[in-house]
């Protein structure tokens, strides 16, 4: 069945970077885009960006421009989201979601930024 | 960036009908915003219910439907069940810009 399995929880210090993975299975990986969405504790959903099926095209929310990088590895059917210069406000659950249209979501990865 | 607005909270009786709406600060919501609706229960990942205004996935219960209503995107729940108690988020796409989520509607079935 179609599945997105994300990497485990991370704890990072302010100023560090984090790289979250999202491993896809059950479908032709290169045929679908992948979105990244985050959710701070007790808050709503926030769209971060998208990486397109070819893997050479990305689009990021303006808020994250310059700090986020989305990549994909077609040999392992895995998409990555790296966020740099972390601050406490980046503490959130990070989700990948297959699209378009958006259908399946990963289980989420908790990233905690704390000194 | 556009602001997407949703009712903060709504209550529906079991078996009742409720409509959640999704507005845009830029004007009327149209099919060109490709409205999405997501359901999220505490401690769980979101689940996509509706895409492109009114299209359902195979797992979307028939009691949920999407439409455009009065210049807004709308999600109607007909015959509410206790398990429908959740947070609901809409997402709108903007030409030349990035998609934006609404703030969410907490739906209580009571």
């Amino acid at each position: 069945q179609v599945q997105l399995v994300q990497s485990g929880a991370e704890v990072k210090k302010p100023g560090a970077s984090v790289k979250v993975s999202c491993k896809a299975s059950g479908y032709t990986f290169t045929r679908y885009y992948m979105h990244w969405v985050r959710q701070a504790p007790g808050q709503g959903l926030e769209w971060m960006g998208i990486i397109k099926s070819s893997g050479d095209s990305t689009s990021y929310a303006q808020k994250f421009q310059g700090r986020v990088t989305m990549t994909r590895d077609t040999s392992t059917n895995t998409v990555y989201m790296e966020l740099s210069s972390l601050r406490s406000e980046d503490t959130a659950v990070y989700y990948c979601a297959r699209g378009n249209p958006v259908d399946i979501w990963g289980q989420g990865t908790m990233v905690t930024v704390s000194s | 960036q556009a602001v997407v607005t949703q009712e903060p909270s709504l209550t529906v009786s079991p078996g009742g009908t409720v409509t959640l709406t999704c507005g845009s600060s830029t004007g009327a919501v149209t099919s060109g915003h490709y409205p999405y609706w997501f359901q999220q229960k505490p401690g769980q990942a979101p689940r996509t219910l509706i895409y492109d205004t009114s299209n359902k996935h195979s797992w979307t219960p028939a009691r949920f439907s999407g439409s455009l209503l009065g210049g807004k995107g709308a999600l109607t729940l007909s015959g509410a069940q206790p398990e429908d108690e959740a947070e609901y988020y809409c997402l709108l796409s903007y030409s030349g810009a990035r998609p934006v989520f609404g703030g969410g509607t907490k739906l209580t079935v009571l």
Side-chain angles (χ1 to χ4, degrees):
Chain A
Q1 75 280 21
V2 176
Q3 218 178 180
L4 301 175
V5 178
Q6 298 183 224
S7 48
E10 303 262 14
V11 179
K12 296 291 183 180
K13 292 194 182 304
S17 297
V18 68
K19 192 170 187 177
V20 179
S21 68
C22 171
K23 184 172 176 59
S25 61
Y27 70 96
T28 304
F29 180 66
T30 53
R31 290 183 59 186
Y32 289 83
Y33 298 6
M34 196 72 76
H35 298 258
W36 286 91
V37 174
R38 77 176 186 179
Q39 186 172 37
Q43 303 301 308
L45 301 174
E46 183 174 31
W47 187 84
M48 298 183 69
I50 187 172
I51 180 164
K52 298 183 180 178
S53 54
S54 62
D56 61 359
S57 182
T58 54
S59 178
Y60 304 135
Q62 190 169 5
K63 175 177 180 176
F64 301 103
Q65 291 274 4
R67 276 211 306 146
V68 70
T69 304
M70 296 176 188
T71 57
R72 66 196 295 156
D73 182 346
T74 55
S75 68
T76 60
N77 289 356
T78 303
V79 176
Y80 299 92
M81 187 284 300
E82 185 170 20
L83 189 63
S84 62
S85 302
L86 291 169
R87 34 212 190 228
S88 59
E89 310 89 88
D90 294 318
T91 294
V93 177
Y94 290 76
Y95 295 102
C96 58
R98 190 180 78 160
N100 292 336
V102 175
D103 51 12
I104 303 298
W105 291 66
Q107 84 277 18
T109 296
M110 182 70 213
V111 175
T112 302
V113 183
S114 174
S115 55
Chain B
Q1 175 175 285
V3 176
V4 177
T5 55
Q6 298 183 243
E7 298 86 1
S9 65
L10 290 170
T11 300
V12 63
S13 301
T17 296
V18 64
T19 297
L20 289 65
T21 67
C22 178
S24 173
S25 63
T26 63
V29 174
T30 70
S31 59
H33 290 97
Y34 306 100
Y36 276 84
W37 290 94
F38 305 92
Q39 177 192 65
Q40 188 180 35
K41 297 181 180 180
Q44 296 184 16
R47 181 171 73 145
T48 310
L49 293 178
I50 301 288
Y51 64 96
D52 295 353
T53 305
S54 59
N55 293 293
K56 301 180 185 183
H57 286 297
S58 59
W59 54 80
T60 304
R63 59 185 180 274
F64 288 96
S65 62
S67 65
L68 297 175
L69 196 62
K72 296 183 178 182
L75 176 71
T76 299
L77 170 57
S78 304
Q81 301 297 310
E83 60 266 30
D84 298 328
E85 186 160 296
E87 192 86 22
Y88 291 83
Y89 293 93
C90 69
L91 176 71
L92 299 180
S93 297
Y94 292 86
S95 176
R98 283 64 172 174
V100 180
F101 280 99
T105 296
K106 182 177 175 60
L107 181 66
T108 301
V109 180
L110 190 62

